Amino acid sequence: LGTDTTGDLRIPASFCGVLCFRPSHGVVSTLGTLPNSHSLDTIGWLARDPHILSRVGDALLPAAACGLKGKRQLVFADDCFELLKIPNQKTVDVIENAVRTLPYGFQPPKHINIGQYISSNVPSLKEFCEPSTKLQEGKSALKALCTVMLLLQRYEFKANHEDWVNTVKPKLGLEVSTRVLQAVNFTDDNIKSLYIVRTEWRAALKNLLKDTGILVLPTMAGHPLKRNSKQRLSSEFEDKMYAFVSIAALSGCCQV
């Protein structure tokens, strides 16, 4: 078991080659945990075996959440896969071949540019897009969605822990202390806009997937660093990584 706020289970699961489930926001109670960002915090779990992953779900998820009516439909986020070094069609073929072995039926798959969809259906996101960006519209929207997720996390972390950080002055590792200081020093007048973007994106994704759609996207932007490496993940890698995890985190949707 663990908590996933901005990919804290999904990222290590992907890097370590194990399975992870982050449930929809609010479905599993966070009572008894230390809050990070209450709008994003979820209780999830890791397992090597899909059967174990499913059995934990049977124990923790409400019965109503465990069944889908109607044939499912895979919706491939093609633009996200194009950001990887793996050929897009190879990924699609692997997933489509895997679902053919499942006992329940699937509708023909659908393909979408999720960045363009976000840009067209989340109007309040425009104020978080970089003004003179050289990125295409879809990539710019994905980067902006990631920005909103990280700003929301900082704002709520500060509300929860600023007094403790300033009083105790804890000794933390370099990366963690950098993030904690970013949160504690956070100042922004656009707080309402963060919550408006979250609400708009939640409605837009619900409208895209309806009751049977399953959005297929990469968990990670590539391979992890080697153990004991003195390198750090590049800013480009981190941008892609957080853009991918923000799609579920900010919408409140579940992700495997």
Side-chain angles (χ1 to χ4, degrees), residues 146-161:
C146 157
T147 298
V148 170
M149 175 189 74
L150 294 174
L151 291 177
L152 185 61
Q153 185 269 332
R154 285 175 194 168
Y155 168 68
E156 293 186 343
F157 180 92
K158 179 178 181 176
N160 287 320
H161 303 297

Side-chain angles (χ1 to χ4, degrees), residues 3-254:
T3 55
D4 189 308
T5 303
T6 56
D8 314 273
L9 286 175
R10 289 165 287 163
I11 293 169
S14 180
F15 277 176
C16 297
V18 297
L19 298 165
C20 154
F21 183 71
R22 173 200 188 277
S24 298
H25 184 261
V27 170
V28 177
S29 172
T30 56
L31 192 67
T33 65
L34 196 65
N36 178 341
S37 168
H38 49 268
S39 294
L40 304 171
D41 289 346
T42 56
I43 304 293
W45 49 96
L46 299 148
R48 284 198 185 94
D49 182 282
H51 180 61
I52 299 294
L53 199 77
S54 177
R55 284 185 64 195
V56 175
D58 290 340
L60 291 183
L61 296 173
C66 295
L68 277 177
K69 292 176 183 174
K71 285 189 173 182
R72 296 151 174 81
Q73 182 180 44
L74 299 180
V75 181
F76 287 92
D78 285 346
D79 52 322
C80 291
F81 285 107
E82 285 163 10
L83 294 171
L84 306 181
K85 293 176 182 174
I86 303 163
N88 188 21
Q89 195 53 48
K90 180 180 179 182
T91 309
V92 171
D93 290 345
V94 166
I95 296 167
E96 288 185 347
N97 289 335
V99 298
R100 285 193 193 105
T101 65
L102 297 173
Y104 33 82
F106 276 78
Q107 301 173 50
K110 188 174 166 183
H111 292 264
I112 189 172
N113 183 312
I114 196 71
Q116 291 280 10
Y117 182 81
I118 292 166
S119 181
S120 302
N121 291 276
V122 187
S124 299
L125 195 61
K126 286 184 175 61
E127 65 179 279
F128 296 97
C129 291
E130 294 173 9
S132 58
T133 182
K134 294 176 184 176
L135 296 172
Q136 296 170 351
E137 190 180 27
K139 288 182 182 176
S140 176
L142 275 172
K143 194 170 190 310
L145 197 74
C146 157
T147 298
V148 170
M149 175 189 74
L150 294 174
L151 291 177
L152 185 61
Q153 185 269 332
R154 285 175 194 168
Y155 168 68
E156 293 186 343
F157 180 92
K158 179 178 181 176
N160 287 320
H161 303 297
E162 181 182 21
D163 288 346
W164 177 80
V165 171
N166 289 335
T167 304
V168 175
K169 296 180 173 54
K171 290 182 180 178
L172 303 166
L174 179 62
E175 284 194 28
V176 176
S177 66
T178 302
R179 288 177 190 163
V180 166
L181 287 173
Q182 282 175 334
V184 170
N185 296 326
F186 174 78
T187 54
D188 201 314
D189 298 328
N190 287 355
I191 302 304
K192 281 186 181 175
S193 300
L194 300 176
Y195 291 99
I196 291 168
V197 168
R198 186 187 64 154
T199 302
E200 288 177 355
W201 173 226
R202 187 170 290 191
L205 192 56
K206 186 176 181 181
N207 189 48
L208 172 67
L209 299 178
K210 306 289 194 292
D211 289 332
T212 54
I214 299 171
L215 185 65
V216 183
L217 71 158
T219 309
M220 272 299 93
H223 298 295
L225 296 171
K226 299 284 187 187
R227 278 183 71 191
N228 303 321
S229 170
K230 291 180 180 175
Q231 284 180 288
R232 295 186 66 181
L233 293 174
S234 69
S235 57
E236 182 190 5
F237 187 99
E238 286 201 345
D239 284 349
K240 290 178 190 174
M241 177 175 81
Y242 283 122
F244 293 161
V245 299
S246 69
I247 289 171
L250 210 56
S251 67
C253 286
C254 59

